[in-house]
Amino acid sequence: MKIRNIRGLLAAVASAALLWPLSGHAAGGNAPAALDNATCLNCHAAGKPEIKVEDAEGEDAEGEEVALPAIDPAKVAKGVHAKIDCVACHTDIVDAKEKHEKAPNAVKPDCAACHEKLWDEAKKNNQAAGKERLGIVVENIAAYKESFHARPDADNPDRPKAYCNQCHATHDFAVPVAGTPEREKWRMTIPETCGAACHEDQLDDFTSSVHGKLIEKGDTKGAVCIDCHTTHEIRNSSSEAFKLKNVLACGDCHTEELHSYRDTYHGQVNRLGFVYTAKCADCHGSHGIKAGDDPKSRVHPDNRLKTCQKCHDDKKPGMVKATAGFVTFGPHANTHDFEKYPKMWIAGKFMTALLIGVFAFFWLHSGLWYYREWQERKERKTVPHVRTGELGVNEGKHFVRFAWGWRVAHLCFALVTMTLVLTGTTVMFADSSWAPKIAALLGGPKVMGIIHRVAASLFVGIFMIHFVYVMSRLLRNRKFRWFGPDSLIPNWKDLADCWGMFKWFFGKGPKPNFDRWTYFEKFDYWAVFWGVNIIGWSGLMLAFPHVTASLLPGWVFNVGTLVHGEEAFLAAVFLFTVHFFNNHFRPDKLPPPDVVMFTGTQSLEEFSREHPAHYQRLVESGELEKYLVDAPSRQMHVGSVILGLTLITVGLVLLVLVVTGFFS
């Protein structure tokens, strides 16, 4: 009843019924009085007898009377409308009689139309520069027209859900200047403005919340309605636009929590523009937010599992019921607070050291290598041509370096890895400008998740097939030396070769004579083993959270997400910088690509130059000819070049995306 009465009152105000004077108060009896402000205030000023009018609007309002608001001249004098005559807005009032006769063609008072007209006139007369606040009002009007409040009221479709004057006191309207104590004092009255008229239930919840208690104490840190819902562009709270913006609204005050939330999968999906993962209000509530140590709080340890199970529930498509470990998951865990999150702090320091160490060493290695080869090119230093004819070998022959199985596995690895990088870093760097576009192009995070998991399964499957095949062959070969020159296991020669390369970089010694596998090729090979275990196991735990949380504490999700993402970042950047340089962009390799991994063969000159120790062993043992084949056909070579350039281009594009995502 209270809300209906107030709405009826405001409807009466909007229909220009404010200025109906009482009988006998109009000067001159039945003669019309001057319609100036003083005449209006004779009846409508504060302290005058209450004026009631019949509420003619609303289905249940017939015959019911509502009181018109009294006008306080002192407040009006301080308001922005102080110099405006009453009849300037109430143009349909033409007399000072008790029952006003209305002008037949006059429009009802309309705040929006009036301000828009004034702004149009200001722009037309080149006076807009001095009336910026009027321009802001017009912007607010445009926002209001698109808002939830401007929609037709369910009970009375002929009127909107809220008029301007339901929030603004039109007669004594005066919002203080931003940044002043008066503005903060006015701001803290907003919950009562919103709640008393329309949102009583929400006001009750808000009053008992942490925000409401701060406002009650006069603490301006407490959030009020407009901080979360905005002022004029208020959206339906169930809309995706509102839910996305509401997270940012919370983050305006809770900056640290926003950053840590965005590092979780929940926040990453939200950053991509999707709202199906948990948001602030899903965990903390909305109007009735309680402190974390309050037993009634949704995030209190006693209530946390139940809160998680609101989303993680078997009854929801694609979801599984949350298990005990979810309780200790840290939705706001970070890597810089050792006291609260020691595991994250340790993991963060380890991953930072790993990234810096790997990149510092190999980027320095690549830079020095590039410089040295470039200098030798300028000095026209070349490796003597191998005269294979003297060995009884046809100079047109190629050396078989990789069997077809290695080449197929490499190509599959390349395609799968690039797919993993694209789908994974799109989520990881969701803040970047390109990530939401890629996510939308691929069908959203859910589809990307499926693609990512399928690609990961293929990656692990190829790895396991390769591992089983290689081990079965080696275990059957009684003559194979595990630390010999044909083995990919690192040995002392690799350490000596690495040291020799740095001496060569600085002109302090000759370039090492590499055998079948160089130390940097072995690093590439064993990095896959490291990646499969670190990225694979952490990804598996994140893919099946209910299983993980039933066996392990929830903080493993935080550490797993960190390690999974940063190790993948390390792998991607290493592949598209160091690996590409070693195999395609060294001066001796230019122009790219090197197609040995696609054709499986390379010329004897290139083989002897890059692996002289291996070449010499084969010559001395007389086994060289066993590995010689005809050079690849032109079609095979051209196809390999096209394939190589395509993969390099895709890799470099991914590198740009990853780097821009990192710095975003």
Side-chain angles (χ1 to χ4, degrees):
M1 181 64 72
K2 177 182 177 182
I3 294 175
R4 184 160 54 80
N5 289 345
I6 292 175
R7 286 183 173 175
L9 165 63
L10 293 167
V13 173
S15 62
L18 272 173
L19 304 178
W20 292 349
L22 293 176
S23 175
H25 283 194
N30 293 328
L35 294 181
D36 55 12
N37 289 355
T39 301
C40 299
L41 290 173
N42 281 336
C43 299
H44 294 281
K48 300 291 183 179
E50 184 179 63
I51 302 174
K52 288 188 176 182
V53 297
E54 184 176 304
D55 179 11
E57 297 196 25
E59 294 180 0
D60 303 324
E62 188 174 353
E64 186 174 338
E65 289 189 339
V66 294
L68 296 180
I71 310 301
D72 187 338
K75 290 184 178 180
V76 172
K78 295 178 181 178
V80 295
H81 297 148
K83 297 180 180 180
I84 299 176
D85 291 334
C86 303
V87 292
C89 293
H90 299 278
T91 56
D92 55 342
I93 304 300
V94 296
D95 59 33
K97 297 179 180 179
E98 178 181 356
K99 298 292 185 180
H100 294 297
E101 291 182 7
K102 306 293 182 67
N105 298 321
V107 297
K108 295 180 179 180
D110 188 332
C111 303
C114 181
H115 288 91
E116 287 173 331
K117 180 180 178 182
L118 290 172
W119 181 239
D120 288 339
E121 291 175 354
K123 291 191 293 184
K124 184 178 179 181
N125 298 327
N126 296 321
Q127 296 175 339
K131 299 182 177 181
E132 289 80 4
R133 292 195 70 182
L134 180 58
I136 294 173
V137 171
V138 174
E139 290 177 5
N140 290 339
I141 291 170
Y144 162 77
K145 288 181 177 179
E146 298 295 325
S147 74
F148 184 72
H149 278 164
R151 295 182 183 180
D153 186 71
D155 296 330
N156 193 349
D158 293 333
R159 55 161 304 197
K161 292 182 180 295
Y163 286 118
C164 303
N165 54 13
Q166 283 183 261
C167 302
H168 299 291
T170 53
H171 296 97
D172 51 295
F173 177 69
V175 175
V177 178
T180 63
E182 292 78 12
R183 177 62 170 255
E184 289 301 321
K185 185 177 180 180
W186 166 82
R187 175 180 163 275
M188 288 192 286
T189 66
I190 290 174
E192 187 65 27
T193 300
C194 299
C198 301
H199 305 286
E200 290 176 306
D201 293 340
Q202 288 80 3
L203 178 61
D204 290 341
D205 290 339
F206 173 82
T207 303
S208 63
S209 72
V210 288
H211 291 150
K213 290 177 180 177
L214 287 172
I215 295 299
E216 187 178 357
K217 295 176 183 177
D219 190 338
T220 57
K221 292 181 181 178
V224 298
C225 313
I226 62 173
D227 294 322
C228 302
H229 294 277
T230 71
T231 51
H232 298 88
E233 56 180 13
I234 294 172
R235 297 182 173 94
N236 187 336
S237 59
S238 62
S239 67
E240 290 192 0
F242 173 82
K243 291 177 180 178
L244 289 171
K245 197 163 186 177
N246 190 240
V247 171
L248 298 178
C250 296
D252 285 341
C253 295
H254 304 282
T255 308
E256 179 67 29
E257 287 75 14
L258 176 64
H259 288 319
S260 54
Y261 162 76
R262 287 183 150 190
D263 287 335
T264 66
Y265 182 71
H266 292 154
Q268 290 166 340
V269 171
N270 187 266
R271 281 187 290 165
L272 291 174
F274 297 82
V275 298
Y276 61 82
T277 54
K279 299 163 291 298
C280 312
D282 295 321
C283 300
H284 295 277
S286 51
H287 299 98
I289 298 172
K290 303 289 191 298
D293 56 358
D294 188 324
K296 295 181 180 179
S297 171
R298 294 186 183 185
V299 296
H300 186 276
D302 294 343
N303 306 324
R304 199 173 296 165
L305 183 58
K306 183 178 179 181
T307 299
C308 294
Q309 289 174 344
K310 287 172 57 183
C311 296
H312 294 269
D313 189 351
D314 292 328
K315 297 178 181 177
K316 294 193 174 184
M319 300 299 286
V320 181
K321 197 163 188 176
T323 48
F326 278 65
V327 175
T328 54
F329 166 68
H332 297 293
N334 58 63
T335 57
H336 57 263
D337 191 338
F338 179 78
E339 291 187 7
K340 291 183 69 174
Y341 309 108
K343 289 91 172 177
M344 283 289 287
W345 187 90
I346 293 170
K349 292 295 181 287
F350 173 78
M351 292 306 302
T352 300
L354 180 65
L355 264 65
I356 292 175
V358 171
F359 288 142
F361 177 83
F362 281 100
W363 285 349
L364 175 65
H365 185 278
S366 299
L368 292 173
W369 194 349
Y370 184 90
Y371 172 78
R372 186 61 182 168
E373 280 196 2
W374 190 257
Q375 286 296 109
E376 291 199 348
R377 272 199 165 197
K378 288 172 61 178
E379 296 168 6
R380 301 183 181 278
K381 290 183 179 179
T382 57
V383 178
H385 180 69
V386 179
R387 300 191 178 280
T388 53
E390 297 177 1
L391 302 174
V393 176
N394 187 334
E395 293 188 17
K397 295 289 185 179
H398 270 222
F399 179 80
V400 177
R401 180 137 169 81
F402 297 106
W404 70 268
W406 285 75
R407 289 144 52 197
V408 171
H410 175 271
L411 179 59
C412 291
F413 265 137
L415 296 174
V416 169
T417 299
M418 289 176 177
T419 302
L420 289 169
V421 170
L422 180 64
T423 53
T425 55
T426 297
V427 175
M428 183 177 181
F429 300 125
D431 261 338
S432 63
S433 59
W434 55 266
K437 298 182 179 64
I438 297 294
L441 183 66
L442 295 178
K446 289 183 179 179
V447 176
M448 283 199 305
I450 294 172
I451 296 173
H452 194 79
R453 288 173 175 83
V454 170
S457 300
L458 291 173
F459 190 98
V460 174
I462 297 167
F463 170 82
M464 293 304 299
I465 291 171
H466 166 82
F467 180 74
V468 170
Y469 172 75
V470 170
M471 291 303 297
S472 63
R473 287 198 61 184
L474 295 182
L475 291 173
R476 288 198 305 267
N477 187 353
R478 300 288 181 86
K479 297 180 180 180
F480 181 73
R481 294 162 54 197
W482 289 93
F483 292 94
D486 292 317
S487 174
L488 277 162
I489 298 175
N491 53 39
W492 290 113
K493 182 180 184 329
D494 296 315
L495 183 61
D497 286 347
C498 182
W499 177 247
M501 277 291 277
F502 274 91
K503 291 175 68 176
W504 174 67
F505 291 156
F506 292 99
K508 301 298 183 181
K511 187 176 181 180
N513 289 329
F514 295 120
D515 212 302
R516 182 174 183 180
W517 307 111
T518 65
Y519 64 89
F520 47 87
E521 289 173 334
K522 290 182 180 181
F523 185 92
D524 285 352
Y525 181 78
W526 288 103
V528 177
F529 285 77
W530 168 270
V532 165
N533 280 281
I534 300 301
I535 302 176
W537 284 111
S538 59
L540 193 65
M541 288 191 299
L542 296 172
F544 299 97
H546 60 292
V547 177
T548 303
S550 64
L551 302 172
L552 299 170
W555 58 261
V556 299
F557 293 123
N558 301 112
V559 173
T561 301
L562 173 71
V563 171
H564 187 81
E566 296 203 0
E567 178 62 29
F569 171 79
L570 170 62
V573 175
F574 183 90
L575 281 172
F576 303 139
T577 56
V578 178
H579 181 73
F580 273 16
F581 171 80
N582 291 345
N583 294 279
H584 303 290
F585 292 113
R586 287 162 31 207
D588 280 356
K589 293 284 188 179
L590 297 177
D594 182 355
V595 296
V596 63
M597 189 51 83
F598 305 118
T599 62
T601 67
Q602 59 185 167
S603 69
L604 273 175
E605 180 184 1
E606 185 178 5
F607 169 59
S608 65
R609 185 175 69 247
E610 294 194 351
H611 302 275
H614 188 200
Y615 171 80
Q616 191 63 35
R617 279 195 303 113
L618 292 176
V619 170
E620 292 175 355
S621 65
E623 296 181 322
L624 179 63
E625 199 165 351
K626 291 195 317 184
Y627 299 95
L628 298 182
V629 295
D630 292 332
S633 66
R634 177 171 176 79
Q635 292 86 345
M636 178 67 174
H637 177 76
V638 171
S640 298
V641 169
I642 294 172
L643 176 60
L645 289 176
T646 301
L647 292 175
I648 290 173
T649 302
V650 174
L652 293 178
V653 170
L654 289 173
L655 176 63
V656 171
L657 295 180
V658 169
V659 171
T660 55
F662 177 81
F663 286 106
S664 67

